[in-house]
Amino acid sequence: FISKAQSMQLQRIQKDEIISAQEQLVKNDLKANLNASWSETLEEASQRRSLKRKNAEIHQEIRLANKALTQVRKAQLKKLLEDEYKEYEQELHSMGLTFHK
């Protein structure tokens, strides 16, 4: 009777050890899944920040390009007006007239 009880107790201990090992595997899997999820979330956040930075850089480049274009257009308009003024001044001079300054 004692040996049968001991045998049953050993079987119970072995089953408990198997269950404990399986529980530990499940815990390890859950921990690995949490780590992977955290890592993916971190990567997504990093990509969003990177995209935001790139968009800001593009907007800054466009703003600076527009500013440069405006300066070039102003310079061209100024040159055009100066050239037209000289042309009109020459025409008036050839007629014996001048601009009143």
Side-chain angles (χ1 to χ4, degrees):
F1 180 75
I2 293 178
S3 103
K4 186 176 182 182
Q6 287 177 340
S7 174
M8 288 175 59
Q9 188 177 19
L10 285 175
Q11 287 177 355
R12 174 70 180 173
I13 290 171
Q14 288 174 344
K15 285 181 183 179
D16 285 347
E17 288 174 352
I18 291 171
I19 290 172
S20 177
Q22 288 174 344
E23 286 176 347
Q24 190 61 41
L25 285 174
V26 169
K27 285 180 184 178
N28 289 343
D29 286 347
L30 286 174
K31 191 174 184 180
N33 287 340
L34 282 174
N35 284 340
S37 177
W38 176 80
S39 179
E40 287 174 3
T41 303
L42 187 64
E43 187 175 329
E44 289 170 2
S46 176
Q47 288 175 350
R48 279 193 302 272
R49 283 191 305 273
S50 178
L51 184 60
K52 211 178 216 184
R53 245 189 333 272
K54 287 178 184 178
N55 282 340
E57 289 174 7
I58 290 170
H59 282 95
Q60 177 72 357
E61 286 180 23
I62 290 171
R63 191 181 67 74
L64 292 175
N66 285 336
K67 187 175 180 179
L69 178 62
T70 301
Q71 290 174 340
V72 168
R73 292 175 82 184
K74 280 183 183 179
Q76 288 175 338
L77 181 58
K78 181 180 177 184
K79 183 177 179 335
L80 176 67
L81 292 173
E82 288 172 351
D83 291 346
E84 285 180 354
Y85 180 84
K86 287 177 185 177
E87 188 179 315
Y88 291 139
E89 193 174 41
Q90 287 175 354
E91 286 180 25
L92 288 174
H93 184 66
S94 67
M95 292 190 264
L97 303 170
T98 61
F99 281 118
H100 180 52
K101 296 182 183 181

